[in-house]
Amino acid sequence: MSQKSELVTLTAEQMSAKLRSGEISARELTQAELDVIGAAEPSIQAFLARSSEEALAQADAVDKRRAKGEELPDLAGVPVAVKDMIVTKGIETTAASKILKGWIPPYDATVVARMKRVGMPILGKTNLDEFAQGSSTENSAFHPTFNPWDTTRVPGGSGGGSASAVASFESPLALGTDTGGSIRQPAAFTGTVGVKPTYGHVSRYGAIAMASSLDQVGPCARTVTDAAMLYDVIAGYDDHDSTSLPGKLPSMAAAAVKGARRDLKGLRIGIVKEATGDGFEPEVNASFNEGVELLEGMGAEVKEMSFPNFLHGIRVYYVIMPAEVSSNLARYDGMRYGLRVMPPAGVPQTAANMMACTREAGFGPEVKRRIILGTYALSAGKYDEWYGKAQRVRTVMIQDFAKAFRDIDVLVCPTAPTSAFKLGEIQDPATMYRNDIATIPANLAGLPALSIPSGLDGSGMPTGFQIMAAQRHDDTAFTVASALESAFTEKWGAPIWTKMKTPWLDSMPEE
Amino acid sequence: MTEKLMKFSEAIKRFDPVFGLEVHVELNTNTKLFCPAHYEFGGEPNTELTPVSLGLPGSLPVINRQAVIDGVRLGLALHCHVNEWSQFARKNYFYPDMPRDYQISQADKPTNGEGYLDVELEDGSTFRVPIERAHIEDDAGKNTHIGGADGRIEGADYSLVDYNRAGVPLVEIVTKPVTGAGEKVAEIAGAYVREIRDIARALNVSNGKLEQGNMRADVNVSLRESPDAPLGTRSETKNVNSFRGIEKTIVYEIRRQAAILADGGQVLQETRHWDEAMQTTAGGRLKSDANDYRYFPDPDLAMVHITPEQVEELRATLPEMPLHRKHRLQKEWGLSDFEMRDVINAGALDLIDQTVQAGATASGARKWWLGEIMRESNAREVSLEELPITPQDVAEVEKMIVGGKLNNKLAKQTVEAVLKGEGRPGDIVEKHGWKVMNDDSAIEKAVDDALAVNSDVAAELKAGNMKPIGVIIGAVMRATHGQADAKVVSGLIIKKTRV
């Protein structure tokens, strides 16, 4: 491995230390990541747009401030990639949809503004399923993204771009959005860490809405501490988002550091009975059980708990989510920005016909499917039967969780029923939807949930271990995750990514 | 197409009219309902925008606190029940002037629930209009259709969209079906909307200018055989933006529907529009083709919580209601109903009230505002408020009259000078050196001179024919440059000509 490769395989925490000591500059680090992106993209395709010039300018600004002796935040100069579902001022933002192709936002999302304030160079925009709708990133209107562990396989979705970028060392950190598992399931598929914060902990202002009551922005990283550091940058009250929760948040990085001491005595853990066993691959279950044993070994009390409504989550989700999608995606009508397709000759050139032609041409089949489902669920005479009933079940699930968290501190289960599947392998939408069966409940209940790697299955693909905590107890999830990560790493002898073949790094030229 | 109409008097004899109004009142908050974009009528198109008001991807609404406060105060003035918990909901429909392609309104949980408004009719009676709800919502932008015959979309070559108005807060006040109005149906509707306008202005929650789109109404009308019969099929005439238009719409719809029903036909449930040029309503789309708005609670916004304590705090901020104030002032000023009506129609109520508060008598204040100043406002074609004279000015003139510093003639000259923009009354009087002459010997001399010059008139007066006394008074006033007190002058003349 070259020097450059060594630099990019550091954790964000280690990069931060080297930047602060002056051992490396932000420009060197940013350039190294840009070089990896150049070398890896032909085989990974994690990015939709690169913002190399902006990233280097941001890095130079950090170096200049550091040279002046300014005290800078921990992640100053540490690069980051941004899911293309989040708006970036001056950088094309498409949600991986033809309908937004070419749109240059005039404003920054709150999370992006916060990262810029800290001095994190933004490397580019990562690929996703169109409007974050999918579980494999195959629904991107532009191109698929490949799993760095096996490029014949998907990286999961919708945030396959951010997960693959982090897994392949194109970026130490990335932002994702998670509506039903879009951060956590790709993390599981790519052997990385993905965090969905408590609903309301991270501002949604500037995150393109998919399903507003479920969407949450969160960090993607290779380690729990790295994810926690990015979490600390982006989280906190924002008066631009009415669903943002007021109050100061504890440091998640500190919670992760605490977890690394691996003392879980007194911690009460519940296993979601319904999300193990049947419907989950044996090897997924096996690695999950190893994780549970490690947690017990650190002093945690573990018990199995039944959530009869847990698996109803997917049914509730596929009513509420499309309903909100149908409304949130109405604005893409060709009037103000993005694609405009005029009606063909002979058809009246009216605004309504233009809107119809634009939406017909601009949206992919999965997006159209969900708009139609959601329009139906909200329509007159159907509302109570569908949207109304789904909201009532959602309320019951929230109550189930609230009750459970009186007796336990965290809930655990596998992140996804399988490891990464092959591109093109799943054609049936309903089968695809089942990928999110274990991740959806946390979105419906607004709970913090994260996924960490739990090992490799027989085909050498990573599996994920999900930890959920009570609302606003994200720090507890970080502490447990950090402890388990440490125990797993000790067991494996090295971080999981050392098992991954990285030909793009090996072939990188040194200047 | 001319539609068959029945005479209004006949229609009212044969059918019982029922109407309903949805009055939109634009709030005069400085900023929009869900973002801090500034809004003012007449701004350069598409300049008063933020990512939120343009509905850009990723943007989120945040409720304008002042708009909710204004909405609650308006609701309280309409005797509405203020709901402790209210909720904004999305009303989904595609239209070019709607940046998100959904309006943020309120559905089953409006901020203001049931209420009522008593309106006063010409004959002095009162009619209670029942109110269903008064909810808060944001306005759409404005489409301008170019190339069509009358600015409507039909036949237009192209259309322009201005999103400045998009997001401006509205309160939509919805009546229950108003029954029992009979032949006074149009008068009641007009009086109701005028009363809302007066209340909104008194509360200072809206500018209340219909011509600037601050208020507009959707007018629902239906007919039934008798007051015991179930409600008939209604038509809905959208966006009527003048008081007269609202009244005429109701009359026209009653005449049109009566003709249809009398012929054994059926009234279509449809939306129509008021055509000011044609003085008719014209058909729009059938209600059966109407949008299914797919209302659902807006997940971007938390529920609005207004505690009973907050409601009482806001209730305490309500000013005296316009109708109550009108009655009080009429009594205080000792005016007849007709005199009061003239004051109201002249738009002089506030000005006279302020003039009285500044120290003038009610009769004095009324005389100036409805006389001299009103003539000037008519001549210049501007409102009384726009003239360069204030209630304080008028009160000052009145006080100078009462104090004997000015006589009526000088006072009139002073008011004229103020209206010409010469300045404040005190300065004007001083500048011109106007004062009532108190030097009796000088006036006496002027009287003597006038009698001497006009010896024939003097002879008549002495003979007991007082008719030509004006000739002598006029001569004296001229000689004294109007500064003599006419009463003093006439007293002197009588004294000197009495044998």
Side-chain angles (χ1 to χ4, degrees), chain A residues 103 106-107 204-207 212 239-240 242-243 327-328 330-333 335-337 351 359 375 378-380 383 387, chain B residues 51 54-62 90 92 94-96 98-102 163 292 294-297 299-301:
Chain A
W103 182 57
Y107 77 109
R204 293 184 296 117
Y205 188 73
S212 312
D239 61 12
H240 283 82
S242 307
T243 59
S327 177
N328 282 332
R331 68 189 63 191
Y332 307 103
D333 62 6
M335 288 301 304
R336 291 159 297 276
Y337 44 80
R359 291 166 68 80
T375 303
L378 288 175
S379 60
Y383 182 94
Y387 192 76
Chain B
L54 204 47
L56 291 186
S59 64
L60 292 172
V62 175
R90 295 187 184 179
N92 294 286
F94 287 90
Y95 209 67
M98 185 58 73
R100 298 171 297 250
D101 289 299
Y102 59 81
Y163 291 106
D292 173 359
R294 291 171 284 126
Y295 279 102
F296 73 107
D300 287 331
L301 296 167

Side-chain angles (χ1 to χ4, degrees), chain A residues 98-419:
Chain A
K98 280 187 280 188
I99 213 157
L100 269 180
K101 183 77 192 133
W103 182 57
I104 312 287
Y107 77 109
D108 272 326
T110 297
V111 288
V112 171
R114 288 183 179 181
M115 295 195 306
K116 281 184 175 174
R117 206 182 314 146
V118 162
M120 298 179 71
I122 293 165
L123 298 168
K125 306 301 290 290
T126 59
N127 199 15
L128 63 150
D129 288 298
E130 183 178 3
F131 281 105
Q133 297 174 25
S135 303
S136 68
T137 314
E138 291 167 295
N139 292 339
S140 168
F142 304 116
H143 55 71
T145 291
F146 305 104
N147 193 316
W149 291 81
D150 174 355
T151 54
T152 68
R153 292 176 189 268
V154 302
S158 67
S162 281
S164 279
V166 169
S168 65
F169 307 102
E170 290 180 317
S171 180
L173 297 167
L175 284 187
T177 63
D178 191 315
T179 306
S182 284
I183 290 175
R184 290 162 288 157
Q185 182 254 23
F189 278 18
T190 58
T192 56
V193 176
V195 182
K196 185 205 90 72
T198 290
Y199 186 81
H201 269 195
V202 179
S203 170
R204 293 184 296 117
Y205 188 73
I208 295 177
M210 173 186 167
S212 312
S213 73
L214 301 161
D215 296 342
Q216 194 63 187
V217 178
C220 309
R222 288 190 292 271
T223 72
V224 173
T225 300
D226 286 4
M229 289 170 78
L230 181 53
Y231 185 117
D232 288 339
V233 170
I234 61 173
Y237 178 73
D238 175 22
D239 61 12
H240 283 82
D241 176 359
S242 307
T243 59
S244 177
L245 294 171
K248 197 171 152 47
L249 303 179
S251 162
M252 300 302 153
V257 168
K258 180 180 153 201
R261 292 201 295 265
R262 285 207 241 159
D263 178 6
L264 298 183
K265 270 191 277 303
L267 185 87
R268 299 161 305 168
I269 297 178
I271 297 172
V272 182
K273 181 166 165 272
E274 285 74 13
T276 54
D278 279 0
F280 287 72
E281 277 185 359
E283 284 176 307
V284 167
N285 282 329
S287 67
F288 172 73
N289 290 334
E290 279 178 35
V292 171
E293 277 168 33
L294 291 172
L295 289 168
E296 282 179 315
M298 291 183 280
E301 300 163 21
V302 179
K303 63 172 172 179
E304 200 172 66
M305 298 178 83
S306 178
F307 288 85
N309 294 314
F310 196 87
L311 299 185
H312 289 325
I314 195 159
R315 298 191 182 93
V316 170
Y317 179 79
Y318 274 95
V319 176
I320 292 172
M321 176 273 292
E324 294 185 13
V325 163
S326 72
S327 177
N328 282 332
L329 269 59
R331 68 189 63 191
Y332 307 103
D333 62 6
M335 288 301 304
R336 291 159 297 276
Y337 44 80
L339 183 71
R340 173 180 291 180
V341 177
M342 291 305 288
V347 175
Q349 305 287 299
T350 63
N353 288 340
M354 181 279 284
M355 288 180 182
C357 291
T358 299
R359 291 166 68 80
E360 163 61 24
F363 287 138
E366 181 61 28
V367 171
K368 286 177 189 162
R369 181 178 296 121
R370 296 189 189 193
I371 290 173
I372 291 166
L373 280 173
T375 303
Y376 180 82
L378 288 175
S379 60
K382 300 281 185 278
Y383 182 94
D384 284 338
E385 188 184 343
W386 291 97
Y387 192 76
K389 190 188 276 182
Q391 287 291 15
R392 289 194 290 279
V393 178
R394 182 180 186 177
T395 303
V396 170
M397 290 183 69
I398 292 169
Q399 288 163 351
D400 286 353
F401 278 121
K403 202 170 144 228
F405 280 115
R406 280 186 230 142
D407 299 331
I408 51 160
D409 298 300
V410 294
L411 269 176
V412 297
C413 66
T415 309
T418 68
S419 63

Side-chain angles (χ1 to χ4, degrees), chain B residues 91-110:
Chain B
K91 181 181 181 181
N92 294 286
Y93 65 98
F94 287 90
Y95 209 67
D97 63 10
M98 185 58 73
R100 298 171 297 250
D101 289 299
Y102 59 81
Q103 181 185 24
I104 303 178
S105 182
Q106 295 181 320
D108 56 339
K109 296 185 183 70

Side-chain angles (χ1 to χ4, degrees), chain B residues 196-208:
Chain B
I196 289 178
R197 189 264 321 263
D198 291 345
I199 289 173
R201 284 187 182 171
L203 294 172
N204 191 25
V205 299
S206 175
N207 299 334

Side-chain angles (χ1 to χ4, degrees), chain B residues 55-291:
Chain B
L56 291 186
S59 64
L60 292 172
V62 175
I63 300 169
N64 182 335
R65 189 183 155 78
Q66 188 61 45
V68 175
I69 289 172
D70 289 356
V72 169
R73 291 179 74 234
L74 187 50
L76 287 172
L78 300 172
H79 310 96
C80 289
H81 171 76
V82 176
N83 291 314
E84 181 162 358
W85 291 95
S86 52
Q87 188 171 47
F88 284 95
R90 295 187 184 179
K91 181 181 181 181
N92 294 286
Y93 65 98
F94 287 90
Y95 209 67
D97 63 10
M98 185 58 73
R100 298 171 297 250
D101 289 299
Y102 59 81
Q103 181 185 24
I104 303 178
S105 182
Q106 295 181 320
D108 56 339
K109 296 185 183 70
T111 297
N112 300 299
E114 290 188 7
Y116 65 86
L117 184 60
D118 288 330
V119 298
E120 197 176 56
L121 306 181
E122 289 273 340
D123 63 6
S125 66
T126 299
F127 189 95
R128 178 163 291 189
V129 177
I131 291 169
E132 174 74 37
R133 56 192 282 152
H135 64 256
I136 304 167
E137 61 185 22
D138 68 345
D139 207 346
K142 194 170 163 33
N143 291 339
T144 307
H145 306 294
I146 311 291
D150 55 356
R152 293 192 57 76
I153 194 165
E154 288 81 13
D157 296 328
Y158 61 95
S159 303
L160 301 171
V161 195
D162 175 7
Y163 291 106
N164 283 353
R165 201 180 65 185
V168 171
L170 300 175
V171 174
E172 182 177 335
I173 304 160
V174 183
T175 65
K176 295 182 178 184
V178 182
T179 58
E183 60 180 1
K184 290 183 179 149
V185 57
E187 188 196 347
I188 289 168
Y192 168 75
V193 182
R194 284 187 182 90
E195 185 66 18
I196 289 178
R197 189 264 321 263
D198 291 345
I199 289 173
R201 284 187 182 171
L203 294 172
N204 191 25
V205 299
S206 175
N207 299 334
K209 291 183 179 165
L210 276 72
E211 66 279 12
Q212 292 191 0
N214 296 152
M215 280 178 70
R216 54 184 194 268
D218 299 342
V219 182
N220 294 283
V221 176
S222 67
L223 297 181
R224 53 184 175 177
E225 291 288 335
S226 74
D228 308 323
L231 295 178
T233 305
R234 67 189 163 89
S235 65
E236 180 180 11
T237 306
K238 303 283 268 184
N239 292 329
V240 188
N241 60 3
S242 71
F243 296 120
R244 293 295 292 147
I246 291 164
E247 291 160 352
K248 288 176 181 172
T249 294
I250 288 182
V251 169
Y252 185 87
E253 277 301 297
I254 288 171
R255 297 182 63 198
R256 184 183 70 83
Q257 293 182 19
I260 293 171
L261 294 172
D263 280 356
Q266 278 190 324
V267 174
L268 297 176
Q269 187 172 352
E270 61 178 346
T271 58
R272 302 177 70 86
H273 73 270
W274 171 247
D275 189 326
E276 187 62 41
M278 301 295 291
Q279 297 282 299
T280 60
T281 65
R285 57 164 201 267
L286 288 181
K287 204 72 180 178
S288 57
D289 303 339
N291 280 305

